[in-house]
Amino acid sequence: MDLTTSPTEAIGEIKDKDNPWLLNESEYSNPRVIATDNFLACVFILCMLVGIPANILSGVYFSGKPRKTLNDTLYIAASISDACILICGWAPAAVLLNGDRDSLTQTIREPIICASWTFFFFFVTRFSLFVAMLIGVIRAISIHMPFRIINTNRVIYACIGYGIWLLAKDTIFYIIEAIDVKYSIEHACCTYEFKRTSGLVFVGFLACELLLVLIIIMVSFVVSLVDLAKAQKRKSKSTERVSDVTTTITLYTMMCVLCNIPLFIVVIMDMAKTLPPTNVAVKLYLKVISYILMTAVNAAANPCIYITRMPLYRKWAREMYIKCVSEGARCHTWAADKVKKARVQNEISTSG
């Protein structure tokens, strides 16, 4: 330790030495690590290229339906949240694609950018999970109580209230300095850093939120599976339509559970201090995959489920494509005619 180091920096160095997640420069500049980071960055970029336009297209489709159901409204919220999640993927993708997790981070480490990115990303991630829970619960209720009318306004108020709760909770913990925001090499992005005492309350809230939401989603997933099994025994036109909707929501909730269970496990292990960080691969990839990559995969997979499971959506997308192609051809013809007329007038003026 340098004698010119301030007491605050000295304490930080001691904490870093005691931090089992601390990475040496040789660990994240290894050629194999760089190749793996580049592969993960390509997965991020693929998710963004597929998921962002697909979620925007899904949001346009569901918002443009003349008779929107409650599920359509929730699908709009899910599409917006998933698109925002994938837009946030530029930060870890840029870091991983650079080949050195610690060199291309000066802009990302700026306090305003780091805090804004962290608050926004973790907000839309948890909000998207909450919307998925509502979709599964509403489907389970409609299966067992088909004549019960669910108040759309109450569901919308629940979404708004949950969003306010997330923002207020994170802001309060940040103000009382229970949590901090900083760039993390093992996450390859900015993230929350909680203190040993008061910060554990924040992590406990986060774990309870994830646990409760995932349990409700899994229960609705099981209910949907049971309903599908019963629908196979009594095949008719009405039950076929119901089973198609149930299959779509079952796939949606299953994808949500599979992609978010790793995040919940890592949060619990991190809170209990039982993570095994002696392995370099665990240090480098456990958190970046569970916290960031699986969330991006889930956000990119959701619109793919919509378009493969909804015939009306496929028909609308096909019509939109044909319309865009025809409009493009018409514009091309109009531009070619304009150029041809301009050449003719130019030749006439020069010859005259």
Side-chain angles (χ1 to χ4, degrees), residues 38-74:
N38 290 337
F39 172 75
L40 292 179
C42 291
V43 175
F44 272 114
I45 294 171
L46 179 63
C47 290
M48 288 188 287
L49 292 176
V50 173
I52 293 175
N55 276 295
I56 293 173
L57 190 67
S58 300
V60 172
Y61 167 71
F62 291 118
S63 61
K65 293 180 72 172
R67 295 180 180 178
K68 285 190 283 292
T69 63
L70 179 55
N71 277 340
D72 293 333
T73 305
L74 292 175

Side-chain angles (χ1 to χ4, degrees), residues 230-249:
K230 292 179 179 178
Q232 293 296 326
K233 297 179 181 179
R234 53 179 198 279
K235 288 189 176 181
S236 65
K237 290 185 178 180
S238 59
T239 57
E240 185 178 351
R241 167 63 181 163
V242 172
S243 63
D244 286 343
V245 177
T246 304
T247 302
T248 303
I249 295 178

Side-chain angles (χ1 to χ4, degrees), residues 319-332:
E319 291 175 353
M320 287 290 293
Y321 174 75
I322 294 172
K323 183 178 179 180
C324 291
V325 170
S326 61
E327 289 292 332
R330 189 180 304 171
C331 291
H332 178 73

Side-chain angles (χ1 to χ4, degrees), residues 161-187:
Y162 186 72
I164 294 173
W165 155 256
L166 291 178
L167 290 175
K169 176 175 63 67
D170 290 1
T171 304
I172 290 172
F173 276 109
Y174 185 72
I175 290 174
I176 65 176
E177 297 183 351
I179 58 173
D180 194 8
V181 177
K182 63 179 292 187
Y183 174 77
S184 170
I185 292 178
E186 63 267 14
H187 288 83

